Amino acid sequence: MSGADGWDADLLREGLVAHGFTDDGVRLRGPVPWRRAGAETWTRVEIEVDERFPFHPPHVRLLDPGAQLEVTFHVDRAARPGASGNLCLWDDVWSADRAPWTAPDALLSRIAGWLEQTAAGWPGDNVCDLERYLEADLTTFVLYDAESLARLKGHFVRTRRGPTDGTVEIWNTPHRLKKRAGRPGFSRTDRQLAWVEDLGRIRRPVRSWADIHDALGERAASVKRLIAAGSVNLVLLRYQRGDQQSVLALTVKYAADEIKVRACESADTSSQTRQMRAGTMAPQLADVPIAIVGCGAIGSFTAALLFRAGARRLTLIDHERLRPGNVVRHLAGLEQVGAWKSAAVRNCLAAIDPAIDGVRDLTTAMTSADEAKLLVQDHRIVVDATGSARATSMLAFAANTTNADAGKAVVTVCAQRDGDVVRVDRLPARGAEPLLPPLPAVDDQTELRENGCGSPVSRTPPTAVVAAAELACCVVLDEVAGHCELPTSVAFVSRPQPEQPFDHIGLVLPGPLPQDEVVK
């Protein structure tokens, strides 16, 4: 059996045979030496190499531990009762060209290390993957708030249908069972319940209802009774491994005088989890007041990127409505056509994270320099995404006449030449920083016009819109962090232009200052 070019499963098989393994053409069986309490011991394993080799490691199963060994973590659920599950020896970070399982010595060494870790109880391990030790329920996805769940230990809670098919949401308050006067059984309100328990620091996985029964203690009988009655269909178990905490969500069903337990995928909806992927600057951005003037194509994506990065004090300003023709380049979809653009963007942000109390949407037009100055004074950064020379000149005037020590900045972003060039300028300049030269507009005799819209339609494609928004966000983040690494002007050229320095593809920065103008 041959794998990808350069890897031959036959070579692995031959190497294992040389180590004392037998080979029946499908599975190899043989000894693996390892050390326990300083003494050498031997374990017999079964190794199976399938057609996915070398992109997937061989399956390895224990045949005879050779010593008293409690198999706990890092082993898959057995395919059938009484069988041994595959040992979990490697994660997914290995590429085939570096895969150590292609060499017999490396494979046997890894198995020996797994045995030694198992015998020692996996010290320092913090992998929270209890789902892998149980049969999977692939139809249910449970949503819970970890912060609330921590207060619900030993309680029944109500559940409800989630936002999509198959999702179930956990209520954040305990549910009190109601006894029916003069009749046995449970009230109609005692339906679709979940039981929440805290296992604390676990030493072995949960593999059956018997393990849960032991953890529930004196509460086990009442929980089992409600499961048998069909009132409880979920059990949520909080647990800790190492310094990590997690939740195991289980669907439970009573049948043939026993409770069948299956693990389902679950996810935390708390604000902390929603912000985990926002980036390292999220805490710093959260309290920075930022205004975005112009919530069209570029402005809408700039708002989304900043919001996703952690900005929570945003002022969105635009006096136009969202039109059907806008949608191809806009953050909002057809369902918001007719809404004010600023409101449509705020609605999109709410779909990313409902914590939008600090996001304001205004449907006003900036008509004077005084209004521009007030906007700059009230915000740490003003992003000008208007595409309007008049608005840009007013905001530039406001930026350059504001006290330099106030730490304010106006970041102007635009796409030019049908999106072939995207550009960002930050004002006021620091010292004598130069700006990139202007790129003159090119007369277009075949302007696109949309019915009912007075302004010509730009041919800038969506890719250039997103590129411009990304560049603007980079400048904003540099300004907020105080890195001062980006110059006053920065542009990206996707198609060379006749004018220098825009005559080559790539990032374009201003030239160096003359030596006598360098700020000391």
Side-chain angles (χ1 to χ4, degrees), residues 65-81:
Q68 186 175 358
L69 184 70
E70 182 186 9
V71 176
T72 53
F73 299 104
H74 295 275
V75 60
D76 284 332
R77 186 179 68 88
R80 59 186 184 278

Side-chain angles (χ1 to χ4, degrees), residues 144-155 196 198 238 245 247:
Y144 62 86
D145 185 304
E147 298 170 4
S148 300
L149 211 64
R151 302 189 296 268
L152 297 172
K153 172 186 175 181
H155 283 97
V196 181
D198 193 333
R238 298 179 68 247
Q245 292 186 342
V247 171

Side-chain angles (χ1 to χ4, degrees), residues 39-61:
E40 188 174 65
T41 187
W42 293 79
T43 290
R44 282 186 59 79
V45 301
E46 177 180 84
I47 299 176
E48 183 177 350
V49 184
D50 64 21
E51 68 280 358
R52 295 177 294 173
F53 182 86
F55 303 102
H56 192 278
H59 301 291
V60 179
R61 295 176 281 270

Side-chain angles (χ1 to χ4, degrees), residues 100-142:
W101 53 77
T102 59
D105 289 340
L107 175 60
L108 297 179
S109 176
R110 189 72 171 191
I111 297 171
W114 185 95
L115 292 163
E116 290 164 7
Q117 287 287 90
T118 297
W122 291 94
D125 189 23
N126 62 359
V127 177
C128 296
D129 60 350
L130 291 193
E131 294 83 3
R132 75 184 313 150
Y133 306 100
L134 292 157
E135 181 182 348
D137 180 344
L138 301 178
T139 63
T140 305
F141 186 54
V142 178

